[in-house]
Amino acid sequence: MSIYAGFDIGTETVKLVILNEGEMTYAGTVFAGIESISEIAEKLLEKGMRETGISPGEIRSIGGTGINTGDIPIIKEDFPEATCSPMGLHHISPEANLLLDVGASKFTAMKCQDGRAVKISKSDKCASGVGISLRMVADVLAMRIEDIGRASLKSEEAVTIQSTCSVFAETEIISLLHHYRKKAEDILMGYFRGMASRFYSLLLQTGSMDDIWMIGGVAKNEGVVKAIKEITGRAVHIPPDPSIIGALGAALAVSNEDLKS
Amino acid sequence: MTTAGVDVGSASAKALILENQRIVDWSITPTIGDSATSAGNVMDPLFDKTGLSPDHMDYIVSTGYGRVNVPFAQKQVSEITCHARGAHWLFPEVRTILDIGGQDVKAIRCNAQGKVLKFVLNDKCAAGTGRYLDRTAATLGLNVSELGPLLLKSTKNPPLEISSICTVFATEEMMRWLRKGEDPKDILAGATQALVKRLRGFVDRVGLMPPLIVTGGVAKNTGVIAYLEKALDVTILSAPEPQIIGALGAALIAAQFG
C-alpha cells in the first residue's frame, strides 16, 4: 500500500490530506488556535488515521507546505505553495489553468499548465482583501463570518467603499452603517466588490484569460465569489473543499518524490 | 487684522485666531459627525474664550481632510501648504516637516522661505499614522497616552521584531508575542521600531534636511520622538502645541487675503 499525507500550515488553520493509492481518503481542517502548531498537526494526523483506520507505520512519508513547516517534526519534506496548490488543483480539476488562492493573510494568482505554475502574482504585505479583513468586517457588523457571504446575496444597491486599507475601511463601514444608514448586505457586497477588484488586478498580471479556479478559505464565501464573477466577467469554479487543495498538493508532491527515489 | 485658521482632521479639529501676526488663542476638539459640525464645534469655544465673534474675523481659511465642508471659511488651502507655512513661521530654520495625523502622514521639504519643494502624502494605508498607535494601544490593553513613557522603559536588546508594515498584520504579530508571554512594554518597543521604520521611509522620500520638525498629535508621544531621533540621527524640533501647526498656517495665509 502506498499511503502519504500532506499538511498545509496556514496562519489561521491547519489542513491535512491523506492519500491512499493516489486517491484522497481523508481531508481535515482545524483552527491553529493558541496551542503549539506541531501538537495541532499531530492531533489532526491522529484523527485522520483513526477515521481511516490507517496505522502510523503505513504512512510512507508526510509532506508539508505553508508557514513554519520546519517547526513540525512529523513533516518530512516541505514544498513551496507554488508547487502544491497547482498540483492539488490539477489532481481534482485537470482543466484548471488559472488559480486564485485567497487565504487568511494573503492572496495569490497563478497561471498554471499541467499542474505547474508558470506565472505567479502575490499580495502578502497588506491585509486588504485577505480573510483576516473579512473577520474584521463581520465583527463591525456584529455578524458571524460564516454568515456574511449569504447575507450579501440579498444586496440590491451595493455601496462603494472608498478605503483600501482594512483599518480605514472599518471606520468607513461604521460611518456607512450608523451615519448613512446603509444596509449591512449593501455594505458587505460593496466590500466584496472592492476585494474582487484587487483580485482582478492580480489575475490580470498573470496574463491568463481563462476561467478562474478559486481555492483557499475565502472561496467558501458566496458573496465574494459572486463579486469576482461580476467584476471579472469570467466563470469562477470552486472545488468541493477549496481549503485543502494545498495539503492535497503537499501529499501528492511527497508521494512523487518518494516514488522517484 | 484678525484672521482664523480651521484645520478639520480625521481625528480632531483645530482652530486658531491670529491678530496682527500674533497668536491670540487656539482650540482642539475631537472630530464628531460631519466636517461642518466639527468646524463649528472647534470655533465656538474659541470665540467664547477670546471674547471675539465671527464679525471680528477679516478672513478665515480652512484646511485638512474636511476643509471643503467648513461653511464659514472664505478659502480652502491644502494641508501641505498650511503645515509648511505654520512650521516656517514658528521655526524659520526648519527645512523638513513630518506631520503624523490620525489618518495620514505627510513629509514635506521646504526652502528658507517656507516654500514647499517636495512632499509625500500617505492617506491610503494606516501604517505610520496615529491610527497604528491607537491599534497598538488597544492590542496591548493600554491607553494611548501611556505609550510614550512606557516605551522608554523597555530595555530589551535586541528589541522584539514586528516585521509587518500593515497595521492588521502587525497587531497579529503583537498578539503572538503576548501569547508567548512577552512584556507589553517590549512588544510596544518592537511596534514602535516598525512605526519609525515606516516614518523614516517617508522622510527619506523627500530627502531629510535638518532641522526637522514633527507635528500632529503623535509628536506629543515622547517615546516615539526619541525613537525617531535615534533612527534619523537628528534632533527633532517640536512646537509647544504640535497639533495646531496646520491651523496656524491657515490663519497666516488668511492674513494675506484679508
Side-chain angles (χ1 to χ4, degrees):
Chain A
M1 266 209 299
S2 69
I3 299 175
Y4 296 90
F7 276 104
D8 180 3
I9 314 297
T11 47
E12 280 212 346
T13 53
V14 173
K15 284 80 67 174
L16 168 69
V17 163
I18 300 174
L19 276 182
N20 190 344
E21 304 292 341
E23 288 309 313
M24 191 157 69
T25 168
Y26 178 82
T29 301
V30 286
F31 271 96
I34 53 170
E35 281 173 90
S36 95
I37 206 78
S38 67
E39 277 173 37
I40 291 168
E42 277 165 35
K43 278 188 195 159
L44 181 58
L45 183 63
E46 278 165 26
K47 183 167 178 264
M49 289 190 299
R50 209 167 44 237
E51 287 186 21
T52 50
I54 292 167
S55 62
E58 291 176 289
I59 299 179
R60 289 182 59 101
S61 191
I62 300 177
T65 188
I67 53 168
N68 303 328
T69 45
D71 295 344
I72 303 166
I74 54 170
I75 293 178
K76 299 303 170 204
E77 188 167 356
D78 74 322
F79 300 91
E81 288 167 65
T83 302
C84 295
S85 307
M87 196 179 274
L89 184 60
H90 185 74
H91 184 81
I92 289 185
S93 311
E95 69 278 28
N97 280 324
L98 178 59
L99 181 157
L100 174 66
D101 180 2
V102 187
S105 59
K106 67 172 187 306
F107 55 94
T108 315
M110 295 185 203
K111 181 182 176 179
C112 308
Q113 217 169 358
D114 306 320
R116 287 199 341 269
V118 291
K119 180 105 173 65
I120 301 171
S121 293
K122 187 152 84 172
S123 168
D124 60 357
K125 298 270 182 277
C126 165
S128 173
V130 304
I132 292 172
S133 70
L134 284 183
R135 199 172 288 287
M136 289 168 63
V137 170
D139 284 348
V140 170
L141 297 172
M143 294 173 79
R144 295 190 322 156
I145 191 157
E146 298 83 1
D147 299 334
I148 56 175
R150 205 174 327 110
S152 74
L153 300 178
K154 286 185 291 188
S155 170
E156 287 170 359
E157 241 182 308
V159 300
T160 303
I161 310 267
Q162 307 285 351
S163 311
T164 300
C165 174
S166 311
V167 176
F168 292 161
E170 198 181 53
T171 316
E172 194 179 334
I173 289 171
I174 292 169
S175 157
L176 287 167
L177 196 64
H178 300 289
H179 188 74
Y180 296 97
R181 306 266 164 211
K182 296 289 179 189
K183 290 182 193 158
E185 61 254 36
D186 292 332
I187 293 173
L188 285 168
M189 189 45 83
Y191 192 80
F192 297 160
R193 293 180 70 98
M195 289 172 74
S197 305
R198 291 189 278 286
F199 300 155
Y200 195 31
S201 311
L202 218 62
L203 289 162
L204 289 173
Q205 283 173 26
T206 67
S208 169
M209 301 302 286
D210 278 314
D211 284 5
I212 298 159
W213 292 78
M214 188 175 175
I215 66 167
V218 177
K220 291 179 181 167
N221 181 311
E222 313 92 312
V224 174
V225 174
K226 181 173 183 236
I228 298 172
K229 284 178 185 164
E230 286 172 3
I231 296 283
T232 64
R234 299 192 200 181
V236 179
H237 309 278
I238 318 279
D241 187 350
S243 317
I244 54 90
I245 304 299
L248 169 61
L252 289 164
V254 79
S255 78
N256 287 350
E257 289 301 314
D258 191 55
L259 295 172
K260 257 193 260 171
S261 55
Chain B
M1 166 153 15
T2 310
T3 60
V6 188
D7 178 2
V8 184
S10 61
S12 61
K14 286 79 67 174
L16 180 144
I17 294 178
L18 192 74
E19 198 168 45
N20 301 324
Q21 298 292 303
R22 194 181 56 84
I23 297 172
V24 178
D25 211 341
W26 66 76
S27 78
I28 303 171
T29 64
T31 308
I32 298 162
D34 57 29
S35 304
T37 311
S38 298
N41 285 347
V42 74
M43 273 317 282
D44 293 342
L46 186 55
F47 286 137
D48 288 346
K49 266 205 291 189
T50 57
L52 295 167
S53 74
D55 297 340
H56 291 106
M57 299 297 118
D58 292 305
Y59 208 86
I60 299 178
V61 166
S62 63
T63 187
Y65 151 89
R67 65 177 177 270
V68 293
N69 292 318
V70 178
F72 49 80
Q74 279 103 329
K75 192 175 170 67
Q76 299 143 16
V77 178
S78 85
E79 300 103 288
I80 304 289
T81 308
C82 290
H83 273 88
R85 182 64 65 88
H88 181 256
W89 189 80
L90 282 174
F91 299 101
E93 69 277 23
V94 155
R95 292 294 175 276
T96 314
I97 300 150
L98 178 65
D99 177 61
I100 310 167
Q103 208 164 291
D104 67 1
V105 182
K106 313 180 251 294
I108 307 165
R109 189 157 50 83
C110 59
N111 68 12
Q113 285 72 46
K115 186 176 181 296
V116 176
L117 299 176
K118 183 163 170 57
F119 72 89
V120 50
L121 167 70
N122 160 55
D123 60 358
K124 294 274 176 273
C125 163
T129 68
R131 192 65 69 82
Y132 173 86
L133 283 176
D134 293 346
R135 284 297 171 105
T136 300
T139 306
L140 299 176
L142 299 165
N143 195 297
V144 183
S145 59
E146 296 175 88
L147 296 182
L150 186 64
L151 176 58
L152 296 171
K153 287 189 190 138
S154 172
T155 51
K156 201 169 181 95
N157 197 13
L160 292 176
E161 201 198 357
I162 303 286
S163 60
S164 303
I165 286 176
C166 171
T167 305
V168 176
F169 292 160
T171 48
E172 299 253 319
E173 286 186 55
M174 292 174 215
M175 285 191 273
R176 251 173 267 151
W177 284 126
L178 277 176
R179 285 203 291 264
K180 283 186 180 167
E182 293 290 349
D183 191 310
K185 68 172 183 293
D186 297 326
I187 302 172
L188 175 61
T192 307
Q193 290 280 11
L195 168 72
V196 163
K197 196 173 153 200
R198 172 86 169 157
L199 293 172
R200 191 197 170 138
F202 293 121
V203 173
D204 285 347
R205 274 161 71 185
V206 298
L208 173 62
M209 188 183 279
L212 166 73
I213 186 172
V214 177
T215 65
V218 177
K220 293 179 180 171
N221 185 319
T222 46
V224 170
I225 296 299
Y227 271 63
L228 199 55
E229 284 188 326
K230 201 171 159 206
L232 296 172
D233 195 23
V234 290
T235 305
I236 294 175
L237 296 176
S238 123
E241 177 41 82
Q243 280 187 277
I244 54 136
I245 311 304
L248 169 63
L252 287 162
I253 292 167
Q256 282 177 282
F257 290 93

